[in-house]
Amino acid sequence: MVTVKQPTPRVLTCDDLTDDQDQMARQVLARTFGPWSMWALHVMYSEARPLRFSRILERVEGVSQKVLTQTLRTLERDGLITRTVFAEVPPRVEYELTTLGRALLKRALPVWNWIVTQVPKLERAREAYDAR
Amino acid sequence: MVTVKQPTPRVLTCDDLTDDQDQMARQVLARTFGPWSMWALHVMYSEARPLRFSRILERVEGVSQKVLTQTLRTLERDGLITRTVFAEVPPRVEYELTTLGRALLKRALPVWNWIVTQVPKLERAREAYDAR
DNA sequence: CCGTATCCAAGCCGATACTG
DNA sequence: CAGTATCGGCTTGGATACGG
């Protein structure tokens, strides 16, 4: 078997992915755009500085402590945020977007801002569907 | 009570939304970027013509009939696709993106294409996390 | 302060069988 | 062909109590 030299470092497209890689890409996007993740990331993005757990918990209204913990852990595992523990009393934990996380948010926020402008349309579509 | 005339049709921003509207916007995005929804929408977007249920089922590998049915119903309820039933034997059902759905996909696909290029980084981040 | 552990209820998903 | 109906296992999330 002969190894063929790659002429240029090809840009990855959808079809270049293995099934595992494809699944990872889809799941990271799915998690990022999940209601709690999106909200938490948005908070971190607009603050643009390290945030304590309790600050995030305050701003992401309606999320429970348990679910926020899980959400942030997953975002950390996906490489979108960092989690820094300070050995103090009382303990302090700070979260911040990584470069990758900021890059993703930069691309996701236009979609968010656009969907916000479409809310009236979404409401009308929902009503029309439910009326049948 | 006096009706105040709106000077200009304001562009909606995040803060103009009621809690219900905010929740609808977040949930529609969350659903759209869900792994199955994203895949199904992508298939419809690239075909750019009405697709039968079974065609979509073939292309969205790994999804069960039940879950695909649910997924498509939700997308229809969100106003992103249309569902047309033909009174034939055997029955035929066709799905197609709405204008709103196409507009959303047009904005979502760049994010998808970008995340695909970041898969190596995602894999490294995951490995680093799991190694601790 | 920032979690983890535990219990419990609700909902999701696959498999299977059946219908217009 | 494109569903609906049903059942059972599994995951998920809230509430609460406790720990470093």
Side-chain angles (χ1 to χ4, degrees), chain A residues 9 18 22-23 41 50 66 76 82 84 89 91-92 104 106 120 125:
Chain A
T18 66
D22 185 79
Q23 193 174 1
L41 288 170
K66 177 181 168 181
E76 187 197 3
T82 58
T84 312
V89 180
R92 179 165 54 114
L104 178 51
K106 191 180 145 192

Side-chain angles (χ1 to χ4, degrees), chain A residues 61-131:
Chain A
E61 290 160 39
V63 74
S64 69
Q65 191 197 46
K66 177 181 168 181
V67 171
L68 183 59
T69 300
Q70 289 171 351
T71 302
L72 294 175
R73 284 290 205 286
T74 305
L75 293 174
E76 187 197 3
R77 189 163 184 248
D78 287 341
L80 303 180
I81 65 175
T82 58
R83 176 174 179 271
T84 312
V85 181
F86 295 87
E88 301 175 359
V89 180
R92 179 165 54 114
V93 181
E94 289 189 344
Y95 294 90
E96 194 174 15
L97 285 178
T98 62
T99 304
L100 186 63
R102 255 191 307 279
L104 178 51
L105 259 283
K106 191 180 145 192
R107 284 162 177 83
L109 280 179
V111 183
W112 165 254
N113 287 324
W114 178 80
I115 203 74
V116 165
T117 68
Q118 304 301 309
V119 163
K121 259 182 222 171
L122 295 173
E123 287 179 318
R124 266 182 271 121
R126 168 66 53 89
E127 274 174 43
Y129 183 93
D130 288 345

